[in-house]
Amino acid sequence: MCVLPSVYTSLYPMGGGATKLYNALTQPLSSTSSLLPFPSSHLNPQLPELLRQCEEALTDRPPRFDRKFVHIGDGDGAPSSVIRVMQWNILAQALGEGLDNFVMCPLEALSWSRRKYLIMEEVLTYRPHIVCMQEVDHYYDTLQPVLAGLGYSSHFCPKPWSPCLGVEGNNGPDGCALFYDESRFELLDSVNIRLSAMRIPTNQVAIVTTLRCRITGKCVCVAVTHLKARSGWEWLRSTQGSDLLWHLQNVVQKQPGDPAADIPLLICGDFNAVPNEEVYRRFATSPFGLDSAYKKLSRDGLTEPEYTTWKIRPTGECCSTLDYIWYTKDTLRVDAVLDMPTEEEIGPNRLPSFSYPSDHLSLVCDFSFKEEEWEGNNKPAHRK
């Protein structure tokens, strides 16, 4: 029997999901360390054991999706300077079990007792420095305490009128959450925003956080949002997107230092908008010089993936691209992009499933600052 280290009993005093997730660690699984490419947090020695704990709790599930990173460009950035970003609508528990009505997904697969392990496994496997999530309704009892124990600070912004509150036995309102690795970033500023349309507050929110990289000393502004869902609301999504861009302009202008300096932007979100919608065009043509990172997966570099969400509801099957990681292309470079699982891996019943906890797939990208100057030799060695 393995005794739980004292660090866990102090980090997870809230009980509930966090305590159950890390209640008893046994022999470490040697192969898990290779799944954690960026061991930067001061608690990272425990990460392989925690990942193995998730895997043990999921021994009866089908295999994980075999997703690999596609490396982009010439790789002339310093390995230590790479910033790994995850964007993910994790599916609110109350919505998954209640309102969303995934007709092909067994109720067992939607239980929080299973989904919490799958969600944590996804984060632990890719170990991003920045995690942007939507539909978070287990922030205080699970995600915040667990990820705080791994060295992440975070901010949470609930929806004012969350539909989760209408579901019996709910865990509170869902909203957006932004987590960042404290060992890698220093917090400069963070603001929660209630998005407006024609000056009227809406039910959609955003978090805008400005961070300073402890390695390069450079700043980056990270935003996470979740725009209005459903067809017929295209005009509202467009207006909400414009409001977010306006807020970002104000945030960037407020930063101290050289007013001419460009602060790179990373904007992650479930936009609920396909690429031909107006809100997509607004971001693609904004004065910030934004580009969508996942276009890098296409052969021409101009096309979004075929899908970031794939589900079956009573109204039919929905396979579309709604999730994006936007970045400032003049100041940030995309070094790698996590590919998408195939249709065969996803399976005929689509998402969510016993293999995957959400109807949306996580997006994971590696970025680095352009035109970095490094001490020592001229250029670092090519990453492998």
Side-chain angles (χ1 to χ4, degrees), residues 75-83 184 215 333 335 367-369 372 374 380-381 383:
D76 62 354
S80 62
S81 72
V82 168
I83 300 170
R184 182 63 187 275
I215 295 175
R333 177 176 56 243
D335 293 324
F367 294 93
S368 57
F369 295 102
E372 291 173 333
W374 300 95
R383 290 196 302 128

Side-chain angles (χ1 to χ4, degrees), residues 10 13 17 33 51 61 64 70 111-112 126 132 162 176 186 226 235 258 272 316 340-341 350 359 372:
S10 62
S33 60
L51 181 57
R61 63 92 185 269
R64 277 179 53 84
V70 177
S111 69
W112 184 242
Y126 300 117
C132 294
S162 169
C176 293
E186 172 192 0
H226 188 187
W235 68 271
D258 181 2
N272 276 306
M340 290 296 184
R350 310 315 184 198
D359 55 325
E372 291 173 333

Side-chain angles (χ1 to χ4, degrees), residues 76-268:
D76 62 354
S80 62
S81 72
V82 168
I83 300 170
R84 177 162 289 180
V85 179
M86 172 182 281
Q87 147 60 30
W88 196 15
N89 179 332
I90 64 171
L91 175 61
Q93 185 60 30
L95 300 184
E97 287 187 303
L99 302 178
D100 278 350
N101 201 3
F102 300 111
V103 293
M104 300 302 292
C105 182
L107 286 177
E108 282 182 78
L110 292 171
S111 69
W112 184 242
S113 61
R114 293 187 62 91
R115 291 186 64 241
K116 65 182 180 182
Y117 289 102
L118 286 165
I119 290 169
M120 286 309 305
E121 181 188 47
E122 188 83 350
V123 176
L124 292 170
T125 295
Y126 300 117
R127 188 58 178 106
H129 300 103
I130 297 171
V131 185
C132 294
M133 290 180 172
Q134 300 83 33
E135 292 199 21
V136 175
D137 64 348
H138 275 272
Y139 175 79
Y140 292 106
D141 69 328
T142 303
L143 292 174
Q144 189 277 331
V146 169
L147 290 176
L150 299 178
Y152 288 94
S153 284
S154 59
H155 299 273
F156 176 63
C157 185
K159 293 177 183 174
W161 317 308
S162 169
C164 293
L165 297 177
V167 178
E168 185 178 354
N170 70 80
N171 200 59
D174 76 301
C176 293
L178 190 153
F179 303 84
Y180 64 92
D181 186 340
E182 273 194 303
S183 69
R184 182 63 187 275
F185 293 103
E186 172 192 0
L187 175 66
L188 298 182
D189 185 43
S190 187
V191 59
N192 288 356
I193 297 168
R194 184 175 177 182
L195 297 175
S196 295
M198 296 178 288
R199 300 187 179 181
I200 300 174
T202 70
N203 194 35
Q204 278 62 51
V205 298
I207 303 171
V208 179
T209 299
T210 307
L211 305 169
R212 178 181 285 123
C213 176
R214 297 185 189 274
I215 295 175
T216 66
K218 295 190 176 184
C219 298
V220 61
C221 181
V222 185
V224 53
T225 194
H226 188 187
L227 303 186
K228 174 64 179 175
R230 310 296 184 216
S231 61
W233 292 102
E234 291 82 1
W235 68 271
L236 183 56
R237 286 191 285 272
S238 179
T239 308
Q240 289 175 335
S242 296
D243 191 43
L244 178 56
L245 291 169
W246 179 82
H247 280 286
L248 288 169
Q249 183 65 46
N250 289 342
V251 168
V252 170
Q253 288 178 343
K254 282 197 310 183
Q255 295 309 310
D258 181 2
D262 292 325
I263 297 179
L265 291 172
L266 287 166
I267 307 168
C268 299

